[in-house]
Amino acid sequence: MTVGARFDLKLREDEKELFAQAAELMGTTTAGFVRAAAKEKARMLVEQEIRVTLSAQDFAKLAAALTKPFAPNKALKDALKSAGQITHRA
């Protein structure tokens, strides 16, 4: 679905009543309640999508990788050596 796509916004009577009751409890209009509820749900979904969740085992591996000293592998050493041979410092 694309942004700006049309939605069927017709509500059933039971939905209208439920939203109206909830709005009254919150001291707002039905439109205000629906807007606030939609905004809350949208924020939750976006936050859920961007959050990275790791298992305890994966977190331990990540933490270990981040805390151990950096050691270049052979490919990096070879690349640095090759770059040093073709570049000249002024």
Side-chain angles (χ1 to χ4, degrees):
M1 182 156 316
T2 61
V3 173
R6 292 183 174 245
F7 295 96
D8 181 10
L9 298 177
K10 294 179 183 176
L11 297 174
R12 298 186 321 254
E13 282 304 314
D14 63 319
E15 292 172 325
K16 288 179 184 179
E17 287 180 30
L18 177 63
F19 297 160
Q21 287 176 337
E24 189 174 328
L25 290 170
M26 288 184 65
T28 188
T29 64
T30 301
F33 169 78
V34 171
R35 186 174 25 260
K39 189 174 179 181
E40 181 181 339
K41 181 68 172 184
R43 280 187 178 146
M44 182 188 75
L45 288 171
V46 169
E47 181 182 316
Q48 198 174 41
E49 183 64 26
I50 62 174
R51 183 183 307 140
V52 176
T53 305
L54 299 175
S55 68
Q57 183 180 9
D58 289 339
F59 178 78
K61 287 179 183 178
L62 176 62
L66 293 174
T67 57
K68 75 178 179 180
F70 174 73
N73 61 18
K74 182 179 181 331
L76 180 56
K77 289 178 184 177
D78 291 346
L80 289 171
K81 183 178 178 182
S82 176
Q85 292 171 352
I86 59 172
T87 58
H88 303 283
R89 293 185 183 216

